[in-house]
Amino acid sequence: MSLIPVIAIDGPGGSGKGTISREVARILGWHLLDSGALYRVVALQVRQESIDLADEAAIAALAQSLDVRFDTAAGEERIWLQDVDVTAEIRSEACGVAASRVAVLGAVRAALTERQRRFQQLPGLVADGRDMGSVIFPDAGLKIFLTASVDERAGRRYKQLNEKGISVSLRTLRRDMADRDKRDSERPVAPLRACSDAKVFDTTGLSIEKVVSTVLDWASDTWPGQAAD
Ligand code: C5P
């Protein structure tokens, strides 16, 4: 196990990873890596610069030199691309779908690897993504794979987007989510799947509080006296 503790939380979109990771990191006072946001920012810039999705080398070069900044100073996460606040823009479903298209490119994933590993800093890291336990932090002391039924995940995402004033159809959302799951699970590079040493946790029907408290219990079992008891 690495000296700087890492909790790797992987799973499909809408499984609650983002909310759970943020809350666990906040309670423990640990750093947070929202790796999906990196893929979303790359996708946004690819669109802004009208780069062809087939041009893997150009997208990898862009990912390598990405001028992205995560800012949590004001208590909420803000994401800056160069000097522009893209926090809201990257959360759109279109950006999520575009992110899953750039995420199939091996050279793009490789270009983002070191950047993600640099988030491993004291006192600890909660890393949220698809390949945190399998590829980026294979030595993570605690690996969790969150799942939930596709209906429940689509319903959660629908509620989340509505609260942000983004209107979407539940049917389209469910279809896009199922397509995205398929693309993420079937890609040859770093496919979405639980590693053999991950705790698979089905959150269907569970409250956020229940999931957070279970993860915190596992963290204190893994690092007695170090992670909040
Ligand atoms: O988690 P989020 O929905 O923000 O991720 C957007 C997309 O980025 C995912 O559908 C997935 O294709 C990709 N992704 C990835 N590996 C990660 C995080 C996200 O491939 N570690």
Side-chain angles (χ1 to χ4, degrees):
M1 204 193 298
S2 155
L3 286 178
I4 302 178
V6 176
I7 303 177
I9 304 188
D10 292 303
S15 58
K17 281 175 304 124
T19 309
I20 304 303
S21 301
R22 210 172 311 118
E23 193 55 9
V24 168
R26 187 188 66 75
I27 294 171
L28 294 176
W30 289 10
H31 299 277
L32 174 69
L33 166 59
D34 175 359
S35 62
L38 284 175
Y39 288 93
R40 287 170 181 264
V41 170
V42 170
L44 181 67
Q45 204 171 354
V46 163
R47 201 181 62 205
Q48 284 172 350
E49 296 188 9
S50 306
I51 299 175
D52 187 340
L53 273 176
D55 194 346
E56 181 164 356
I59 303 175
L62 181 155
Q64 187 76 51
S65 61
L66 200 65
D67 183 7
V68 63
R69 196 161 48 83
F70 291 80
D71 176 8
T72 47
E76 58 171 320
E77 184 189 59
R78 306 234 55 98
I79 300 162
W80 299 82
L81 175 59
Q82 286 142 12
D83 289 329
V84 182
D85 182 345
V86 293
T87 317
E89 199 173 354
I90 61 162
R91 292 295 158 209
S92 72
E93 274 310 288
C95 207
V97 171
S100 78
R101 294 188 186 281
V102 300
V104 299
L105 306 171
V108 174
R109 305 196 72 85
L112 293 176
T113 300
E114 273 317 305
R115 189 188 290 265
Q116 294 177 82
R117 290 190 176 143
R118 285 199 294 271
F119 280 78
Q120 187 178 5
Q121 288 181 22
L122 285 168
L125 174 68
V126 181
D128 156 5
R130 303 288 190 290
D131 60 344
M132 298 295 98
S134 55
V135 177
I136 307 295
F137 302 108
D139 295 332
L142 177 56
K143 299 182 186 180
I144 298 167
F145 191 84
L146 288 186
T147 60
S149 68
V150 72
D151 284 328
E152 169 126 351
R153 291 189 287 115
R156 286 178 188 170
R157 185 55 67 82
Y158 180 75
K159 194 164 157 256
Q160 216 175 42
L161 291 172
N162 266 340
E163 281 165 5
K164 288 185 188 151
I166 303 172
S167 88
V168 280
S169 119
L170 183 58
R171 237 178 96 226
T172 312
L173 203 58
R174 192 187 182 287
R175 192 200 55 213
D176 285 354
M177 193 164 259
D179 286 351
R180 188 133 69 96
D181 284 356
K182 190 163 152 41
R183 197 161 35 241
D184 288 351
S185 316
E186 292 180 356
R187 67 182 175 216
V189 194
L192 169 70
R193 90 177 40 126
C195 13
S196 56
D197 51 351
K199 292 179 188 293
V200 178
F201 189 6
D202 186 342
T203 67
T204 308
L206 297 182
S207 67
I208 292 170
E209 293 72 24
K210 174 67 193 160
V211 179
V212 168
S213 77
T214 305
V215 173
L216 289 173
D217 285 348
W218 286 335
S220 57
D221 290 347
T222 309
W223 298 280
Q226 204 175 341
D229 291 309

